[in-house]
Amino acid sequence: MNKAIITLTKGGMKLGLKLLNSIDQAVLYVHPRFYMECENIKKIDGKMTEFIGKIFHKYRCLIFIMSTGIVVRAIAPYIQDKKTDPAVIVLDERARNVISLLSGHIGGANDYTKKIAKMINANPVITTASDVNESIAVDTLAMELDCEIEDFYDATKVTAHIVNGEKVGLISDIFIDKEMPLNIIKVDKENIDDKFKGLIYISEKNINKPIGIDCVVLRPKNIILGIGCRRGKTEEEIINAVEDTLNILKLSKKSIKHITTVDVKKNEEGLIKAAKVLKVPLIIVDRKDIKKVESQFEQSEFVKKQIGVGAVCEPAAFLTSKAGKMLQKKKGYDGITIAVFREGE
């Protein structure tokens, strides 16, 4: 379950049941007075503010059917950061209005609000400036393109320029099949002038930002690291090798989509911990799949005798990169090998 519907009244419960039957992955919390034993219906446990504290980060979206004032007071102690706070939506029990209250862009509250309003024929209330002006915020753009924002303060400044109708340049190393507001203009690095109030870079590469223009960098998740290692290599050794590789290639750590290795290394503690430090998945590739493509890469007879395939990092990265482009052939780091691919389209 990733959505919680919360209500305190009998009328709110009636609307809550309607939503519960229409929304996937949802649970309904009701006041104990109106509780009925039914699948996906639970009691509100204890005082409202304390109860919200227990569930605030348990769900991706909290849908309240009650007064906005009650909701604001209940969630206030637990609001931390728009990068991690859940979407919060408020409905009146007559189903007249659906209000996007918190995490409108990154949390998805604006999209949830529109969907719920359409579902129950209500009025969607969205107050974020980019939506009101039918423009786009940098965090929304990043989410739609599956990019990570390098600096949220920079994103806020550039979003302000977009919403104010000022000229913003877009410099992208990835293909963007999306219609942009008229004041966001696709340019290359050589055509930047002082007419631009802001710049959006979308790249996995290190960026030298021009002075005097507000800039934000969005990192696409398109770098695949194939890693092979001797048994017992530590998390620190692997991370150091990864960082050295990225520095040489002038690539951002934030653009790593995943690291990948062969099935015999799936329980290698150093690799597992390194993936957690990098906050990326560890993708395991079966040897039978590597055998199908290993002839395309340099092989080691020693490795073949040990594990049955003559190459690990290059074929593993190739197979999990949608036949992407190799940016670095196998490079050795004292018992660790790393190959780098840029994901294919």
Side-chain angles (χ1 to χ4, degrees), residues 314-328:
E314 290 177 344
F318 171 75
L319 288 166
T320 62
S321 69
K322 301 178 185 175
K325 178 183 178 182
M326 181 186 284
L327 301 182
Q328 177 182 282

Side-chain angles (χ1 to χ4, degrees), residues 35 70 88 91 103 110 138 178 184 215 229 242 257 271 281 313:
Y35 174 73
I70 293 174
V88 177
L91 289 77
S103 292
N110 290 355
V138 171
K178 175 180 175 55
I184 297 181
C215 302
C229 67
V242 167
K257 183 170 186 178
L271 276 172
C313 61

Side-chain angles (χ1 to χ4, degrees), residues 272-319:
I272 294 169
K273 288 183 176 179
K276 288 181 179 177
V277 170
L278 294 169
K279 298 178 181 177
V280 297
L282 173 61
I283 306 298
I284 304 301
V285 180
D286 197 288
R287 277 167 290 179
K288 72 176 185 297
D289 294 319
I290 286 179
K291 284 179 181 179
K292 296 174 185 176
V293 299
E294 67 177 346
S295 62
Q296 301 176 38
F297 306 98
E298 181 184 345
Q299 297 184 57
S300 163
E301 286 302 318
F302 174 77
V303 172
K304 195 157 195 170
K305 287 178 183 177
Q306 295 296 312
I307 64 173
V309 291
V312 172
C313 61
E314 290 177 344
F318 171 75
L319 288 166

Side-chain angles (χ1 to χ4, degrees), residues 56-57 59-62 75-88 102-109:
F56 193 71
H57 289 291
Y59 300 96
R60 288 172 52 193
C61 180
L62 303 179
I75 68 173
Y78 312 108
I79 297 172
Q80 296 176 352
D81 191 306
K82 67 178 181 179
K83 299 190 290 291
T84 56
D85 290 336
V88 177
L102 185 72
S103 292
H105 291 148
I106 295 176

Side-chain angles (χ1 to χ4, degrees), residues 58-70:
K58 185 177 179 180
Y59 300 96
R60 288 172 52 193
C61 180
L62 303 179
I63 303 166
F64 292 87
I65 307 172
M66 64 187 69
S67 157
T68 305
I70 293 174

Side-chain angles (χ1 to χ4, degrees), residues 86-244:
V88 177
I89 296 167
V90 183
L91 289 77
D92 62 276
E93 64 179 59
R94 287 293 191 92
R96 291 172 178 164
N97 297 293
V98 185
I99 304 169
S100 174
L101 188 67
L102 185 72
S103 292
H105 291 148
I106 295 176
N110 290 355
D111 286 336
Y112 286 132
T113 293
K114 292 172 187 174
K115 289 174 183 175
I116 292 171
K118 187 175 181 180
M119 190 186 302
I120 61 175
N121 195 28
N123 176 44
V125 181
I126 297 172
T127 58
T128 44
S130 56
D131 294 272
V132 170
N133 292 292
E134 297 184 345
S135 186
I136 193 167
V138 171
D139 49 7
T140 301
L141 179 62
M143 185 170 56
E144 291 181 0
L145 297 177
D146 191 24
C147 292
E148 183 172 342
I149 298 172
E150 191 162 80
D151 188 309
F152 274 81
Y153 179 65
D154 291 341
T156 300
K157 290 192 290 185
V158 174
T159 294
H161 292 305
I162 297 170
V163 172
N164 290 331
E166 295 169 325
K167 192 175 177 182
V168 172
L170 175 63
I171 303 164
S172 180
D173 290 338
I174 66 171
F175 175 71
I176 300 176
D177 184 20
K178 175 180 175 55
E179 189 174 339
M180 294 288 176
L182 294 177
N183 62 323
I184 297 181
I185 301 160
K186 294 180 182 179
V187 292
D188 54 44
K189 297 170 187 175
E190 288 72 35
N191 291 328
I192 299 170
D193 56 42
D194 56 9
K195 292 179 183 177
F196 289 101
K197 296 295 183 182
L199 293 172
I200 303 170
Y201 288 91
I202 304 177
S203 177
E204 70 275 12
K205 300 169 189 170
N206 293 339
I207 301 295
N208 293 318
K209 299 177 185 177
I211 298 171
I213 303 177
D214 291 328
C215 302
V216 63
V217 181
L218 307 187
R219 297 300 188 185
K221 297 290 185 180
N222 62 351
I223 297 299
I224 314 301
L225 302 181
I227 302 181
C229 67
R230 285 202 307 261
R231 183 181 301 171
K233 281 296 173 180
T234 66
E235 157 204 341
E236 290 80 7
E237 290 175 299
I238 294 169
I239 292 294
N240 287 339
V242 167
E243 289 179 344
D244 186 70

